């Protein structure tokens, strides 16, 4: 994706579709000016709507555009009639995919919800299912996902899973982190990553597992039995999930960049008569005023 900064959400008085067209209109048009009938932003907006509606290829996108009608196409900026599949295919063959990804991430950011008063973004690595072809491996991505909506705010492809750490830092550097909470799994519990987030004006919530042997042992040995707990149970999707969290100020002898609080989180999930329990430890740069136990638990659900 592009290294340009993805802006924080900005609520504007314009309708959602107009905001999308405005953002897409900032993408450089790779086509020759001669013979161009439709703005590049309008063509991409039509394609986005078609894909959201279920289109999975240029033929289907072209069919959606044909069936949408003049009024709908005009609202998306396509004011000079319809568009055929070949036009869209030629455009996307030349388009800067990284720039498009950054712009769509910026638009998705305007539609994110707040979680306990803050915008929360999870950095997570995933292998793209169903994308493996022949002898080639399925693409592996590091993505920034908005809590509450699941919107992808940005993503970077990596060759192998063990390259996730530098890729995640590149992705974080492309986001506006001011006032944002970043949650990351144990792989990314690194001093340099934590420093990047806090220096950019955000807070981190990092998971600590056995891959950080010394830090994990220190957290596990804390007197958690004497710490009061906050418990919350949620039901949905055929399961019951109970999260019990205990939080204390970070002891002076635990050294981790920007750490202010540490927590023990116990997750108990019951589904179809089966019960699983997981205990993880967390470390965060957010203080007790900003992130009391109930808020911290909401951020990491």
């Amino acid at each position: 994706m592009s290294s340009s900064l993805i802006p924080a959400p900005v609520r504007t008085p314009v309708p959602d579709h107009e905001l999308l067209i405005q953002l897409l209109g900032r993408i450089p048009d790779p086509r020759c000016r001669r013979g161009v009938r439709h703005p590049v932003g309008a063509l991409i907006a039509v394609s986005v709507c078609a894909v959201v509606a279920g289109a999975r290829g240029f033929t289907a996108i072209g069919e959606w555009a044909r069936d949408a009608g003049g009024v709908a196409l005009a609202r998306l900026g396509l004011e000079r009639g319809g568009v055929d599949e070949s036009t869209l295919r030629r455009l996307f063959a030349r388009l800067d995919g990284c720039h498009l990804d950054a712009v769509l991430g910026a638009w998705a950011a305007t539609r994110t919800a707040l979680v306990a008063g803050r915008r929360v973004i999870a950095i997570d690595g995933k292998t793209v299912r169903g994308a493996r072809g022949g002898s080639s491996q399925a693409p592996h991505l590091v993505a920034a996902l908005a809590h509450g909506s699941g919107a992808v705010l940005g993503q970077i492809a990596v060759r192998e899973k063990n390259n996730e750490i530098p890729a995640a830092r590149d992705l974080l550097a492309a986001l506006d982190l001011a006032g944002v909470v970043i949650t990351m799994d144990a792989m990314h519990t690194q001093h340099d990553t934590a420093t990047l987030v806090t220096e950019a004006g955000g807070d981190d919530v990092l998971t600590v597992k056995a891959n950080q042997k010394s830090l994990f042992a220190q957290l596990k040995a804390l007197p958690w039995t004497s710490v009061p707990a906050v418990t919350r149970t949620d039901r949905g999707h055929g399961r019951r999930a109970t999260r019990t969290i205990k939080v204390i100020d970070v002891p002076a002898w635990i050294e981790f960049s920007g750490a202010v609080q540490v927590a023990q989180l116990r997750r108990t999930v019951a589904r179809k008569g089966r019960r699983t329990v997981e205990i993880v430890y967390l470390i965060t740069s957010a203080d007790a005023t900003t992130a009391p136990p109930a808020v911290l638990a909401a951020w990491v659900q």
Side-chain angles (χ1 to χ4, degrees):
M1 66 175 288
S2 169
S3 60
S4 59
L5 195 69
I6 297 175
V10 177
R11 296 295 178 184
T12 67
V14 302
D16 287 340
H17 71 279
E18 292 185 15
L19 177 59
L20 174 61
I21 295 168
Q22 289 177 12
L23 289 171
L24 293 175
R26 300 176 186 177
I27 297 176
D29 192 339
R31 301 171 295 172
C32 297
R33 293 186 178 181
R34 178 180 296 181
V36 169
R37 295 185 59 207
H38 304 294
V40 65
L43 293 175
I44 301 172
V46 168
S47 301
V48 168
C49 290
V51 170
V52 170
R56 292 296 179 266
F58 289 110
T59 300
I61 293 173
E63 291 173 350
W64 185 92
R66 183 192 63 205
D67 298 338
V71 175
L73 295 180
R75 292 186 68 195
L76 295 172
L78 216 63
E79 298 177 349
R80 300 182 63 182
V83 59
D84 56 31
E85 169 197 349
S86 60
T87 298
L88 296 169
R89 192 181 295 274
R90 288 194 300 270
L91 171 64
F92 280 91
R94 303 174 184 176
L95 205 60
D96 183 341
C98 292
H99 202 144
L100 174 60
D101 186 61
V103 169
L104 290 176
W107 180 70
T110 68
R111 303 179 62 80
T112 58
L114 298 180
V115 180
R118 297 281 291 275
R119 192 162 64 105
V120 184
I121 298 174
I123 303 297
D124 194 17
K126 295 292 184 182
T127 299
V128 181
R129 301 176 65 179
R132 181 176 179 177
S135 60
S136 63
Q137 293 184 341
H140 191 77
L141 303 175
V142 176
L145 307 171
H147 281 223
S149 69
V152 177
L153 308 182
Q155 56 190 7
I156 293 179
V158 295
R159 290 185 179 274
E160 298 176 3
K161 187 173 182 178
N162 57 9
N163 291 330
E164 277 192 29
I165 293 173
R169 291 173 186 163
D170 290 341
L171 181 56
L172 288 168
L175 298 170
D176 183 351
L177 301 182
V180 172
V181 177
I182 298 295
T183 67
M184 307 180 81
D185 63 23
M187 175 186 293
H188 300 287
T189 304
Q190 308 285 333
H191 289 274
D192 290 345
T193 303
T195 299
L196 189 158
V197 173
T198 55
E199 288 186 348
D203 279 315
D204 55 55
V205 181
L206 306 175
T207 302
V208 180
K209 292 185 178 179
N211 63 316
Q212 294 274 4
K213 293 182 180 180
S214 177
L215 182 58
F216 180 79
Q218 290 175 328
L219 296 181
K220 187 176 181 180
L222 291 172
W224 295 110
T225 55
S226 62
V227 178
V230 172
T231 299
R232 173 177 172 174
T233 299
D234 296 305
R235 293 175 174 83
H237 304 288
R239 70 173 190 173
R240 184 182 65 196
T242 300
R243 296 191 306 279
T244 300
I245 191 167
K246 300 180 177 183
V247 185
I248 60 174
D249 290 339
V250 64
W253 44 268
I254 292 181
E255 297 181 357
F256 191 86
S257 299
V260 177
Q261 295 190 101
V262 294
Q264 181 195 73
L265 177 65
R266 180 187 180 97
R267 296 189 183 101
T268 304
V269 178
R271 186 201 301 267
K272 296 181 179 179
R274 298 185 61 183
R275 182 171 173 268
T276 61
V277 179
E278 179 189 29
I279 297 177
V280 299
Y281 297 95
L282 308 172
I283 195 160
T284 179
S285 61
D287 60 28
T289 301
T290 302
V295 169
L296 193 57
W299 286 349
V300 298
Q301 64 178 347

